[in-house]
Amino acid sequence: MALETVSAGEWLERVKRGTATLPVGLGDYVGRFELTPAGMPLDDIAAGFHAGDLRIDGEFRPESLITAVDGDLVVEGLVSTQGGEDADGNATLIVFGDLRCKTLINDWASIIIVTGDLIVEDWVFAAREDSALLIGGDFKTPLFIGADIGVTVGGEIVADYAYGYANGVPAPGQTYGDSKAMDNRSWREIATRLGFGREVTAEEEFMPAVDLRVITTGSLLPV
């Protein structure tokens, strides 16, 4: 089912109404984000919106720079903030509900906000510069690569392999939430899980190799 195309102004109003229904701490934190690309006039931004639950059989790469689903989102394949062929990040995806998908990529300077649970079957890559990943509920995935980009999680974190860190949702008036433990393994264990051989022999080589693989193959895992 296609998303409704609305003006950026109307999209922001709908998102504001959805944010007002969230718990105080989560709503306050969502309200801190600049949800539209900095410096871009609202009239130049096409927005996508879907009222109610949405199920996608294949991949979900929103063509609009700002997209919101007012309900649960279930995607059989990849969810990515990199939409069209010329997309270069600066996108926003908000799900007012749970998000379940097979894999997830958050692109450069992009924002993914899931107010409920985020459950990803295979892996999550959310390490691109200036990006943000906020989950109001639980976060569950076998493999998470976040590096220096922290993920904010209101509920439980379950990750078999995790390279990155997480904080809780901050209380109103606080800048950061409490640090949350992730089931991190050593970079060597994760590199082995990703199938890297002799090309990754030191930790400083790990993230460049991961990023190159995602750019060239669209996957964290060997293809």
Side-chain angles (χ1 to χ4, degrees):
M1 181 180 294
L3 277 69
E4 177 186 4
T5 300
V6 299
S7 69
E10 174 64 20
W11 186 89
L12 287 169
E13 285 298 320
R14 294 186 186 187
V15 167
K16 183 178 179 180
R17 291 195 293 269
T19 302
T21 68
L22 299 175
V24 175
L26 180 59
D28 174 78
Y29 194 55
V30 171
R32 301 182 195 182
F33 285 90
E34 184 174 1
L35 300 175
T36 60
M40 182 177 292
L42 292 184
D43 289 345
D44 293 342
I45 302 172
F49 191 90
H50 182 82
D53 297 342
L54 178 62
R55 185 180 186 91
I56 304 292
D57 291 334
E59 294 185 346
F60 185 56
R61 296 174 179 263
E63 292 295 328
S64 302
L65 275 178
I66 53 176
T67 304
V69 176
D70 191 11
D72 294 339
L73 174 60
V74 177
V75 180
E76 293 297 323
L78 168 72
V79 171
S80 175
T81 50
Q82 187 172 33
E85 293 182 359
D86 297 326
D88 58 353
N90 293 289
T92 297
L93 171 63
I94 302 178
V95 178
F96 287 104
D98 298 335
L99 170 56
R100 294 173 179 265
C101 58
K102 186 173 181 61
T103 54
L104 185 146
I105 295 175
N106 198 21
D107 205 16
W108 283 279
S110 293
I111 300 167
I112 295 179
I113 297 173
V114 180
T115 64
D117 298 335
L118 174 59
I119 300 176
V120 184
E121 182 180 338
D122 287 350
W123 50 261
V124 173
F125 179 72
R128 295 276 167 75
E129 187 175 349
D130 297 324
S131 64
L133 176 59
L134 165 61
I135 303 150
D138 296 337
F139 178 33
K140 299 181 180 182
T141 184
L143 174 60
F144 169 72
I145 302 295
D148 294 329
I149 307 298
V151 56
T152 303
V153 183
E156 181 184 16
I157 299 172
V158 180
D160 297 330
Y161 294 82
Y163 189 80
Y165 68 95
N167 291 313
V169 175
Q174 298 297 313
T175 302
Y176 302 104
D178 295 335
S179 177
K180 304 196 76 163
M182 300 188 83
D183 294 331
N184 287 330
R185 314 239 185 155
S186 71
W187 71 267
R188 291 183 184 276
E189 289 179 280
I190 298 174
T192 299
R193 173 66 181 86
L194 296 181
F196 289 114
R198 295 180 180 178
E199 70 269 30
V200 177
T201 60
E203 186 170 7
E204 59 266 25
E205 299 170 352
F206 176 64
M207 281 308 302
V210 171
D211 196 51
L212 179 61
R213 175 179 286 177
V214 173
I215 290 173
T216 56
T217 71
S219 176
L220 271 183
L221 302 177
V223 294

